[in-house]
Amino acid sequence: MAILLAVGLLVGGVMGAAYARARRGWADYQNTKKSVPGLRRLAWLLIRLAATKIGIVALLLVGAVAYAAAGPDHEQAGPTPSPTPSPSATPAHRTGR
């Protein structure tokens, strides 16, 4: 009789633990299932924010490149002054040597 009682307690303990684990899993599944629409909205909001920031940075970069390409060319800004000729020293004839 004692052996049957021990086997029954062992089987009951194992089955009870499995049942408790299954109930916790089902409750977690139901909570996650309820939160999916909210999390999906949050994910799209974050994607939209990131895409907006990337778009703004890309527009700024394109604008900077267009501004640099359309800006004045410094080499053709105007005539530069020509160098003035320096008086060259004429070789003097040294006498007395």
Side-chain angles (χ1 to χ4, degrees), residues 7 10 14 35 37 40 53-54 81 85-86 96:
V7 170
L10 181 67
V14 170
S35 69
R40 186 177 293 139
K53 288 180 182 181
I54 290 171
S86 62

Side-chain angles (χ1 to χ4, degrees), residues 59-88:
L59 284 175
L60 288 173
L61 288 175
V62 168
V65 168
Y67 178 76
D73 193 7
H74 295 292
E75 293 177 0
Q76 297 177 355
T80 58
S82 60
T84 57
S86 62
S88 61

